[in-house]
Amino acid sequence: MNNHSSGNHVFINQLGYLPRQRKIVISDLPSQHFEVIQTSNGETVFSGPMVPVPDATSNQTVWRGDFSALTSNGKYLIRIDETHWSFPFSVDAHIYHRLFQLSSRFYYLQRCGISINDSHLDLFHHACHTHDGFLLSSNAPVQSCGGWHDAGDYGKYAATTTITVALMLTLYELWPERFYDGQLQIPESGNGRADLLDEALIGLKWLLTLQRPDGGIHRKLAGIRWPELNTLPEADTQNRYLFGTSTADTAKFAATMSIAARVWRSIDPALARTFFDAAMKAWAFLKRYPESLWEKGELDDRGSGPYYYADDTADRIWAALEMAVLTQAPPDATGITMIARHQPEAFGWEDPSLLGYFHYAQRMSSENGLKQVAVNKITALAERIMTLSQQSGYGYSLHFQDFKWASNKEGLSRGITLIWADELAPNPDYRQAAEAQLHFVLGLNPLSKSFITGVGSNPVQYPHHRWVVSGGRMIPGMLVGGPNNNADSAVEPARSGPWSYADRTESFSANEPAIDYNAALIFMTGYMLGS
């Protein structure tokens, strides 16, 4: 059993499966038969046929076997012949608990403005960026410490922080019984509140520092040069600036604060009121500026990313729907007109409106036609994703030409779409297709690669992450961007679909983690905790 090639041509979810999940194995070699071997004794516990299927993800024919009938807990391997085997995997009802903890603790390790001393992973750095920040326009100091480093760099952005916090809070709202105090082993553990909420509060408190007196939101806080890759957090001592406002980010802020006000209403009414007031102030700013506004200067993107999207319609829709849920008053005529013309995409900073539709459909108390419109928009998108997934031998919703920057996040966000659709219009096919998006990033893919650090037999080894590079220690639980046909960093192969990936530190366009990527991952794994 040891004289074989593991994982090269036999692909599975390298973490493993829940007992009642659909379980498939894929090979890119012509094969007729597969066997599931229990690693403890070498016995064959299941066997079945491998069937050729066309695969739009790889633009090839792949061979697929189904072992869903295997429900016994254990550790297994799959072989298709004497020389081609899968990596090991487990079947276990608690298989996703550790992944949820690792991917959620990533945020503690990304915190800015404090020292990190993590005895669980033996990771340490001194306090960083304690002087954040200065107004770019006047160089006046503004207290904006805290929050999370966005990705492999040390900038902080409203666009991704709002998306991250909103997914954390939605996850908690949907299934509060799954999240508890002490779950993540963070400094706040033991305070009587779910650790997931404590971590969300880190992002929320930093977001509050971005609001200007006029209600608009500074888009980001960053330096005007990129730190070298081998720079520890505390060694990035340049002045960091609050950049101009945008209606897009102000709308994201209004939506996120609306959700926070709702969630904290029963936990801390005074804090909920702070979030409510911030949301109303941002909403008033949006009313004063009905056209898309984006303040930008020549120094804006010299040491930070733009997170720029020209059209703010989707952001305004998200804000309008979340404000409506918060106040229980339907959107005004302008909002309804925007909604009528708009078809949302999977949730992300480019188009976050889907979460507003979901919350409106789920939580608006009064019966009105807009609730059904919201349901219809979500299920229409879910059906599109289902069709794409059915055209993939892997069940993945991205086809060969669809892999671009943050493809892993996009796949998981499509899975989240299916989960929200299932919550509103229950359909087991939605649930099964959602799970397939997670299987892909865990190794059921043509590279046989787990795109999550420290997870699986073939995980990411060289992420584009400054603390990992400078500190010489891996941070487990980070989801990297994934295959990218555009190969923006000129490191990964271009126009190669799922093969447009390189596990190399220099690849910021395929191998960098980010807080919004992990937000999609923790939502998917949090969902799986109850499956």
Side-chain angles (χ1 to χ4, degrees):
M1 193 167 71
N2 295 320
N3 298 320
H4 56 75
S5 173
S6 292
N8 291 338
H9 297 283
V10 185
F11 314 133
I12 44 83
N13 173 340
Q14 294 167 26
L15 177 65
Y17 303 85
L18 297 169
R20 302 295 174 184
Q21 265 187 318
R22 187 190 186 210
K23 309 174 191 71
I24 62 170
V25 56
I26 297 285
S27 179
D28 57 3
L29 297 176
S31 8
Q32 296 182 335
H33 185 77
F34 75 96
E35 294 178 308
V36 183
I37 313 297
Q38 191 156 16
T39 59
S40 61
N41 55 24
E43 291 184 1
T44 298
V45 296
F46 189 87
S47 62
M50 295 287 280
V51 179
V53 292
D55 173 43
T57 295
S58 65
N59 275 351
Q60 296 179 347
T61 295
V62 297
W63 284 259
R64 184 170 67 198
D66 191 313
F67 58 104
S68 304
L70 176 65
T71 59
S72 299
N73 284 5
K75 193 166 188 177
Y76 304 97
L77 292 159
I78 291 178
R79 69 181 175 197
I80 60 171
D81 57 39
E82 286 304 317
T83 58
H84 295 103
W85 298 62
S86 73
F87 287 122
F89 63 93
S90 297
V91 174
D92 192 307
H94 302 288
I95 196 70
Y96 290 104
H97 286 66
R98 177 64 172 158
L99 177 56
F100 176 77
Q101 184 189 57
L102 286 177
S103 55
S104 299
R105 290 192 86 250
F106 163 74
Y107 292 97
Y108 164 57
L109 301 171
Q110 288 288 108
R111 290 189 195 178
C112 182
I114 63 169
S115 62
I116 299 294
N117 189 3
D118 184 15
S119 60
H120 301 286
L121 297 174
D122 194 25
L123 291 168
F124 171 83
H125 73 68
H126 294 286
C128 63
H129 307 111
T130 54
H131 300 293
D132 283 351
F134 298 88
L135 290 177
L136 190 62
S137 56
S138 64
N139 216 39
V142 176
Q143 175 54 253
S144 191
C145 285
W148 303 297
H149 299 142
D150 179 62
D153 65 309
Y154 299 133
K156 300 185 289 192
Y157 303 83
T160 49
T161 301
T162 51
I163 294 301
T164 296
V165 169
L167 277 179
M168 287 179 172
L169 297 182
T170 300
L171 182 60
Y172 179 82
E173 268 195 311
L174 282 169
W175 305 293
E177 70 284 353
R178 300 179 192 177
F179 310 108
Y180 52 88
D181 185 23
Q183 186 174 26
L184 305 182
Q185 298 175 327
I186 57 177
E188 294 79 8
S189 295
N191 67 1
R193 184 167 56 210
D195 288 352
L196 184 62
L197 290 180
D198 285 324
E199 199 59 63
L201 199 54
I202 298 297
L204 283 164
K205 288 183 175 180
W206 177 71
L207 285 170
L208 289 172
T209 72
L210 301 183
Q211 190 162 41
R212 309 188 315 185
D214 66 357
I217 302 304
H218 291 285
R219 294 182 288 108
K220 60 183 176 181
L221 190 152
I224 56 175
R225 61 174 175 80
W226 291 100
E228 294 295 324
L229 193 54
N230 194 32
T231 303
L232 285 164
E234 63 268 30
D236 180 28
T237 56
Q238 64 179 311
N239 284 350
R240 286 154 48 100
Y241 298 95
L242 288 157
F243 290 83
T245 191
S246 75
T247 48
D249 287 326
T250 300
K252 289 183 179 76
F253 177 94
T256 302
M257 291 296 160
S258 296
I259 299 169
R262 192 174 71 232
V263 171
W264 256 268
R265 191 179 284 153
S266 61
I267 301 170
D268 185 335
L271 189 55
R273 185 70 202 190
T274 297
F275 298 144
F276 178 89
D277 291 344
M280 296 300 292
K281 193 173 178 181
W283 185 245
F285 179 88
L286 294 171
K287 290 296 186 182
R288 289 197 303 276
Y289 293 91
E291 302 297 326
S292 183
L293 170 67
W294 188 274
E295 293 179 355
K296 185 174 181 179
E298 62 175 294
L299 298 177
D300 263 46
D301 302 330
R302 290 191 180 180
S304 56
Y307 285 106
Y308 174 71
Y309 205 68
D311 186 357
D312 68 357
T313 299
D315 303 289
R316 289 179 183 270
I317 288 173
W318 185 28
L321 291 168
E322 298 291 2
M323 291 292 293
V325 174
L326 180 63
T327 62
Q328 288 297 301
D332 61 19
T334 301
I336 289 175
T337 299
M338 284 194 298
I339 289 165
R341 297 172 179 170
H342 179 253
Q343 177 56 47
E345 298 296 331
F347 183 70
W349 66 264
E350 303 95 328
D351 182 349
S353 63
L354 194 75
L355 185 54
Y357 289 114
F358 176 66
H359 285 149
Y360 194 93
Q362 187 191 47
R363 295 185 172 275
M364 199 64 181
S365 60
S366 61
E367 290 298 328
N368 59 67
L370 189 55
K371 286 186 71 168
Q372 191 57 50
V373 168
V375 172
N376 292 345
K377 287 182 183 289
I378 294 169
T379 55
L381 178 57
E383 288 297 325
R384 281 171 47 202
I385 293 170
M386 281 287 297
T387 298
L388 294 170
S389 300
Q390 290 163 355
Q391 294 166 349
S392 166
Y394 297 85
Y396 199 48
S397 61
L398 271 66
H399 291 184
F400 190 93
Q401 70 279 5
D402 297 331
F403 289 90
K404 59 181 182 178
W405 196 303
S407 62
N408 284 334
K409 187 236 351 184
E410 175 65 18
L412 294 183
S413 295
R414 293 180 182 188
I416 293 169
T417 301
L418 294 161
I419 292 168
W420 292 344
D422 181 61
E423 287 292 310
L424 299 173
N427 182 339
D429 291 337
Y430 289 161
R431 297 192 290 276
Q432 188 176 98
E435 292 169 0
Q437 312 313 301
L438 183 57
H439 296 326
F440 189 91
V441 303
L442 283 165
L444 184 63
N445 58 63
L447 289 169
S448 199
K449 188 74 174 177
S450 168
F451 291 109
I452 304 168
T453 55
V455 176
S457 297
N458 185 28
V460 173
Q461 300 278 0
Y462 305 103
H464 182 90
H465 190 277
R466 280 164 176 75
W467 187 22
V468 170
V469 173
S470 59
R473 298 293 301 273
M474 182 59 71
I475 296 173
M478 301 190 299
L479 176 70
V480 299
N484 179 0
N485 278 314
N486 296 325
D488 303 77
S489 57
V491 175
E492 60 273 12
R495 299 179 298 280
S496 299
W499 292 279
S500 284
Y501 173 79
D503 188 2
R504 290 172 57 185
T505 302
E506 313 94 279
S507 178
F508 55 82
S509 54
N511 216 34
E512 184 173 13
I515 59 173
D516 58 324
Y517 304 175
N518 261 59
L521 177 61
I522 68 166
F523 192 97
M524 287 296 300
T525 53
Y527 166 74
M528 300 295 278
L529 296 182
S531 296

